[in-house]
Amino acid sequence: MAAWLGGGLVVVLAIAASVLFAVRHTNGTSGPGDVLPGNVRPLSHVLISDACGSTNDEGVFEPKTIQLRCGDGTVVANGLTWSQWGTATALARGTVNEVSCVPDCASGKDVAYPARLALSEPVRAGNGRQYFTRIVVSFTGRGPGGSSRQLFEDCFYTPPAPFVPKCPAAGRGSP
């Protein structure tokens, strides 16, 4: 009986360690198997930049946050949950926080808008990995300035680092 209880304790400890690892290993990390409950398992190795093309921006899968406007950081998608992560597109819901810039951006208020995000146009970067380069934000209500959609590019025409994809030459247009 003591041997069974000891073995049972080992099993319980092993399960507890597994749960602790799963809770600490959140999405927005480096591999397609690293997903929080409620998100889908990524079905591709296509990444999205998470640091606006900085030198160490290796990209992530299913991030909780994407900075949509680099430089001034006035537009950020937060609280993202992913329903799809494929080879051509990735789909999420969350909130887009945008500085109103009224009367100016320095003194404007941060306004939150419920939104859906569609990532597309994967392109190979200098490091050999693929990254989504187009982000279409569709607001589930009225968006900034009454808009229903916004388009963002997550690429550069002259990439500053091997982790950042070069923007596709063709296919640009309205969202």
Side-chain angles (χ1 to χ4, degrees):
M1 178 79 170
W4 183 84
L5 286 176
L9 183 59
V10 169
V11 170
V12 169
L13 289 175
I15 291 170
S18 297
V19 169
L20 179 61
F21 175 79
V23 169
R24 290 178 136 315
H25 210 90
T26 62
N27 69 346
T29 57
S30 63
D34 304 333
V35 184
L36 282 177
N39 281 339
V40 296
R41 181 167 296 286
L43 298 177
S44 77
H45 288 283
V46 182
L47 301 161
I48 185 71
S49 297
D50 67 330
C52 289
S54 67
T55 305
N56 298 319
D57 186 5
E58 296 184 39
V60 292
F61 300 96
E62 295 190 351
K64 286 185 178 182
T65 300
I66 299 175
Q67 188 168 339
L68 297 169
R69 186 168 295 142
C70 297
D72 62 6
T74 56
V75 184
V76 178
N78 294 302
L80 299 175
T81 56
W82 299 89
S83 60
Q84 176 184 331
W85 194 280
T87 57
T89 58
L91 303 174
R93 288 187 175 273
T95 303
V96 171
N97 293 78
E98 189 163 323
V99 175
S100 67
C101 293
V102 176
D104 57 61
C105 292
S107 56
K109 301 283 188 244
D110 189 36
V111 182
Y113 302 95
R116 293 184 313 269
L117 276 70
L119 283 57
S120 62
E121 295 191 26
V123 171
R124 194 165 308 282
N127 66 350
R129 299 180 85 180
Q130 286 192 305
Y131 295 81
F132 289 113
T133 60
R134 180 181 173 110
I135 303 170
V136 175
V137 175
S138 300
F139 298 101
T140 56
R142 284 186 55 142
S147 65
S148 61
R149 290 181 166 206
Q150 288 182 338
L151 171 66
F152 298 91
E153 287 185 332
D154 198 23
C155 55
F156 288 80
Y157 290 101
T158 307
F163 307 114
V164 181
K166 183 176 178 76
C167 292
R172 294 287 147 227
S174 62

